[in-house]
Amino acid sequence: QVQLVESGGGLVQAGGSLRLSCAASGRIRGISAMNWYRQAPGKQRELVATITSDGNTNYADSVKGRFTISRDNAKNTVYLQMNSLRPEDTAVYYCNVRGVMQSVPARSFDSWGQGTQVTVSS
């Protein structure tokens, strides 16, 4: 089993910044994609940002130029730096990590964090 622990959410004024972290632990052989999703009240969960194993990134149009995803492969950790936050960024943010476990035979995993609340006041 692979566990994810998120941190870094909170309350911030519009225009402010927050940095989310998500650390994966367990019998991990390798991690491929690391993603951040968010879900606002009454809305579907949406993909915010993705980073692949070789560092390629992709962002939702709504956060391009404001959010930056990065990863530390040695620590199995993914980050989301959020700048110029807006009230519409208010949501529960979830990290999602996919990879392969140290098992015989090898098994893939697709794990989710517990979610962290980000609230942006106007």
Side-chain angles (χ1 to χ4, degrees):
Q1 235 178 353
V2 175
Q3 296 80 36
L4 304 183
V5 177
E6 299 180 27
S7 62
L11 173 64
V12 64
Q13 287 188 333
S17 297
L18 284 173
R19 188 190 194 209
L20 306 183
S21 300
C22 173
S25 62
R27 297 175 57 81
I28 299 171
R29 173 177 294 177
I31 292 176
S32 54
M34 306 182 87
N35 311 297
W36 285 99
Y37 287 78
R38 68 185 180 187
Q39 188 167 19
K43 295 188 177 180
Q44 289 188 332
R45 189 173 297 189
E46 64 171 344
L47 179 61
V48 175
T50 295
I51 185 166
T52 64
S53 58
D54 54 2
N56 290 325
T57 59
N58 196 29
Y59 298 92
D61 288 342
S62 59
V63 307
K64 282 181 181 176
R66 300 187 298 122
F67 290 12
T68 302
I69 189 171
S70 60
R71 61 191 281 173
D72 184 332
N73 291 329
K75 296 181 179 179
N76 289 336
T77 298
V78 61
Y79 305 96
L80 186 67
Q81 178 67 44
M82 304 185 293
N83 298 329
S84 301
L85 282 161
R86 305 167 180 169
E88 54 263 39
D89 294 318
T90 295
V92 178
Y93 284 70
Y94 298 90
C95 67
N96 167 243
V97 176
R98 301 167 187 171
V100 179
M101 297 182 65
Q102 286 183 350
S103 60
V104 179
R107 289 183 292 130
S108 62
F109 68 89
D110 185 347
S111 296
W112 289 83
Q114 79 280 9
T116 186
Q117 178 70 46
V118 171
T119 302
V120 184
S121 63
S122 57

